[in-house]
Amino acid sequence: MNYKSALNNKIFEVISQASQELNLESYVIGGFVRDLLLKRDFKKDIDIVAVGSGIELALKVSELLPKKPKVQVFKNYGTAMLRYKEIDIEFVGARKESYHFESRNPVVENGTLEDDQNRRDFTINALALSLNSENFGDLVDPFDGLTALKNKTIQTPLDPDITFSDDPLRMLRGIRFATQLGFEIEENSLNSITKNAERIKIISGERIVDELNKILSTNKPSIGFLLLYKTGLLDIILPELTALNQVEEIEGQTHKNNFYHTLEVVDNICPNTDDVWLRWSALLHDIGKAPTKRFNKKQGWTFHGHEFLGGKMAKKIFERLRMPLNHKMKFVQKMVMMSSRPIVLSQDLVTDSAVRRLVFDAGEDVESLMTLCEADITTKNPSKFKKYHQNFELVRKKIVEVEERDHVRNFQPPISGEEIMTIFNLQPSREIGILKEAVKEAILEGEIPNEYQAAYDFVLNRGEKLGLKKV
């Protein structure tokens, strides 16, 4: 089968010419070919395999291109990369690999195209298109990846036990591809993932998180997380999540399964945000429920303080998986710790002071918090579903009204500590902190407007009660 007409980007013509001048074979392989055959949107990266030196081929391609783009060379890996019209093109020499049990870093030798295809993770990623002049566009498909594409199947080219044991990251990649593409993992390959799940422990947290982020970035992440759960990988990677997969009954009272509820919340939030960290917040929002679960006869099942504990647990997960310990982690922590606030608010009479406090505490993230909480509505009762969403709409309107009037988002006191010191001729002291806090509380409670004069008069009045005199 020939796909010459599909290789209409000028870069393929240049690579073909460079290959001819160097007297070596070259092929476009992997994700580009897979997505081309699936008619998916073109991702801005292309993998080229050369039967010979990939670095030499990259340098020659750069030489033939009009603006001679810079070539990044990675000698240790035998690879090179250049950028052409916003496309990242990676060149590698065809190779065969062998692995030591304790490492996913292979021993690499030069090889043939067949050797290179043998080392690929899945048959759908071993598809190659020739860039050689004599058979330009011919499909090279030794493992019948084309049939796997038609059947929507993920399977390994070789024995899956060897494929997954050699490089355990491939287990996560398989689940990620199944989630992204809507494919099924072939039975032997799926069983092999379960058998080799413990091998994931040799993979770094950064690489694991990279795959989890890609699963979370799909339209329906629950597909991937259910596969992770089914194969035992999730219990190794995120045991805090699998701990939620339990339902207990005492005296006829049960609580919902918070694991399946969590996956539903993650799916619910996806149409409303592409922010992977907000999706992480949805994934972790209930992790504090397993350790805080209690039963008493009056209240039934309770999860008191699960948000606060969940925030602390989220930080430990970020540390364990070597995720960024910066504003991204703090954002997820904040979302988890505040995840019940708008829900409680929506169930009561919505007071201005409660909304002011919500906006004050959430700051710039109040919209994200509302998006998370609306995704948390998973009731199957149509009237309850409608009522909860209507209540959230009221909260949203109240947020806009209060914010326009009181300006408490990213609140800065209208009167500073330095000015309070000047008014009463004070040195830094406990009284200044008391007065600043009193001003903040008075504004949030609606006792005074968020304005300078009102705050100034309030400070004078409160200062007198503390025995302070204006200078």
Side-chain angles (χ1 to χ4, degrees):
M1 207 170 294
N2 188 279
Y3 294 88
K4 183 176 181 178
S5 60
L7 298 177
N8 52 14
N9 191 309
K10 181 175 172 57
I11 192 64
F12 296 120
E13 184 187 316
V14 174
I15 295 169
S16 180
Q17 183 187 338
S19 304
Q20 199 166 9
E21 289 187 20
L22 292 172
N23 197 28
L24 54 75
E25 295 175 23
S26 65
Y27 302 83
V28 57
I29 197 166
F32 173 85
V33 182
R34 178 196 69 227
D35 290 346
L36 176 73
L37 298 178
L38 285 173
K39 297 184 174 148
R40 292 180 84 223
D41 287 343
F42 167 49
K43 303 286 188 299
K44 297 291 185 182
D45 54 20
I46 296 172
D47 292 325
I48 304 295
V49 63
V51 183
S53 170
I55 294 171
E56 274 186 43
L57 180 58
L59 293 168
K60 175 58 78 174
V61 168
S62 173
E63 189 185 305
L64 294 174
L65 285 169
K67 292 184 180 175
K68 297 185 171 41
K70 184 183 174 186
V71 178
Q72 287 180 281
V73 174
F74 307 95
K75 277 192 177 175
N76 288 348
Y77 298 98
T79 64
M81 183 180 288
L82 62 81
R83 194 168 178 78
Y84 171 76
K85 292 188 177 178
E86 298 186 0
I87 303 170
D88 290 321
I89 305 162
E90 184 169 359
F91 297 81
V92 62
R95 60 197 192 190
K96 53 185 175 182
E97 299 175 342
S98 56
Y99 289 79
H100 295 300
F101 186 76
E102 68 283 354
S103 170
R104 68 176 289 269
N105 296 318
V107 175
V108 177
E109 301 173 60
N110 292 336
T112 62
L113 174 65
E114 186 182 355
D115 290 326
D116 203 86
Q117 288 174 302
N118 284 340
R119 74 179 183 84
R120 299 278 160 175
D121 50 9
F122 304 106
T123 61
I124 60 170
N125 293 333
L127 294 156
L129 292 176
S130 170
L131 298 180
N132 307 302
S133 56
E134 65 274 13
N135 56 0
F136 189 89
D138 276 6
L139 179 68
V140 185
D141 181 17
F143 303 109
D144 205 10
L146 202 55
T147 299
L149 285 180
K150 286 174 184 169
N151 295 338
K152 299 190 171 184
T153 304
I154 305 285
Q155 65 187 90
T156 58
L158 306 176
D159 179 344
D161 284 342
I162 295 170
T163 299
F164 295 139
S165 181
D166 279 351
D167 183 355
L169 187 66
R170 291 167 176 164
M171 297 187 287
L172 288 183
R173 282 170 57 82
I175 289 170
R176 186 246 295 178
F177 286 128
T179 313
Q180 283 178 330
L181 302 173
F183 282 23
E184 296 279 332
I185 300 177
E186 177 265 335
E187 190 178 0
N188 286 340
S189 298
L190 190 63
N191 291 339
S192 181
I193 293 175
T194 306
K195 194 194 303 185
N196 288 282
E198 288 287 325
R199 292 281 288 152
I200 203 66
K201 291 176 180 176
I202 71 166
I203 301 297
S204 70
E206 294 95 334
R207 293 209 174 249
I208 288 171
V209 169
D210 186 48
E211 292 300 326
L212 293 181
N213 284 347
K214 288 173 181 173
I215 291 170
L216 276 171
S217 297
T218 62
N219 293 332
K220 196 172 181 185
S222 63
I223 295 169
F225 281 95
L226 286 169
L227 284 169
L228 289 170
Y229 177 73
K230 181 178 179 180
T231 55
L233 286 168
L234 194 61
D235 202 37
I236 298 167
I237 297 166
L238 281 172
E240 298 88 348
L241 210 53
T242 57
L244 297 174
N245 192 14
Q246 51 177 296
V247 176
E248 284 187 66
E249 181 177 339
I250 295 180
E251 297 182 9
Q253 294 193 56
T254 60
H255 59 83
K256 68 184 172 191
N257 185 308
N258 286 301
F259 174 70
Y260 289 98
H261 163 74
T262 292
L263 296 189
E264 202 172 340
V265 174
V266 174
D267 284 351
N268 283 351
I269 208 168
C270 288
N272 300 314
T273 182
D274 291 329
D275 181 353
V276 74
W277 302 110
L278 187 49
R279 293 184 180 200
W280 266 104
S281 304
L283 187 70
L284 303 182
H285 83 283
D286 268 350
I287 53 170
K289 281 192 171 178
T292 58
K293 184 172 69 172
R294 302 287 183 272
F295 180 84
N296 66 60
K297 291 187 178 183
K298 281 188 179 179
Q299 294 175 291
W301 290 104
T302 65
F303 305 90
H304 294 312
H306 77 270
E307 304 95 339
F308 177 72
L309 181 60
K312 292 172 76 172
M313 291 168 71
K315 184 182 180 187
K316 287 181 180 174
I317 288 169
F318 269 63
E319 289 170 342
R320 186 179 74 234
L321 293 178
R322 302 177 70 86
M323 294 167 76
L325 303 178
N326 54 16
H327 62 281
K328 293 168 182 172
M329 186 260 305
K330 287 176 182 171
F331 169 79
V332 173
Q333 266 195 303
K334 183 202 275 192
M335 291 298 101
V336 172
M337 292 174 89
M338 293 190 70
S339 59
S340 294
R341 287 272 294 276
I343 293 171
V344 172
L345 203 59
S346 71
Q347 291 167 350
D348 298 327
L349 182 66
V350 185
T351 64
D352 283 9
S353 62
V355 172
R356 271 191 293 271
R357 288 187 179 279
L358 177 71
V359 176
F360 173 77
D361 291 337
E364 285 298 328
D365 300 317
V366 70
E367 276 302 316
S368 295
L369 181 62
M370 292 300 294
T371 300
L372 171 60
C373 292
E374 284 174 330
D376 204 3
I377 301 169
T378 59
T379 177
K380 300 300 178 283
N381 182 313
S383 59
K384 281 186 179 179
F385 184 86
K386 185 179 178 183
K387 180 189 168 192
Y388 293 156
H389 274 282
Q390 286 172 339
N391 288 354
F392 271 117
E393 196 53 41
L394 289 175
V395 174
R396 280 184 180 276
K397 284 178 182 172
K398 200 76 168 176
I399 286 171
V400 172
E401 288 170 20
V402 166
E403 176 59 16
E404 283 177 355
R405 185 177 66 242
D406 301 326
H407 310 292
V408 291
R409 193 184 301 218
N410 296 329
F411 173 83
Q412 294 296 324
I415 189 164
S416 69
E418 288 80 5
E419 193 164 356
I420 294 171
M421 288 162 66
T422 303
I423 292 167
F424 298 111
N425 193 25
L426 290 172
Q427 294 299 310
S429 60
R430 179 170 161 268
E431 284 80 6
I432 295 159
I434 291 170
L435 288 170
K436 281 184 70 177
E437 183 65 20
V439 169
K440 183 191 91 174
E441 287 296 314
I443 291 170
L444 292 179
E445 283 300 319
E447 293 173 29
I448 62 171
N450 187 9
E451 296 167 0
Y452 174 79
Q453 191 59 49
Y456 182 88
D457 294 342
F458 178 88
V459 164
L460 286 181
N461 182 273
R462 187 57 62 94
E464 282 179 19
K465 290 179 181 177
L466 291 172
L468 303 173
K469 287 197 181 351
K470 180 178 182 297
V471 176

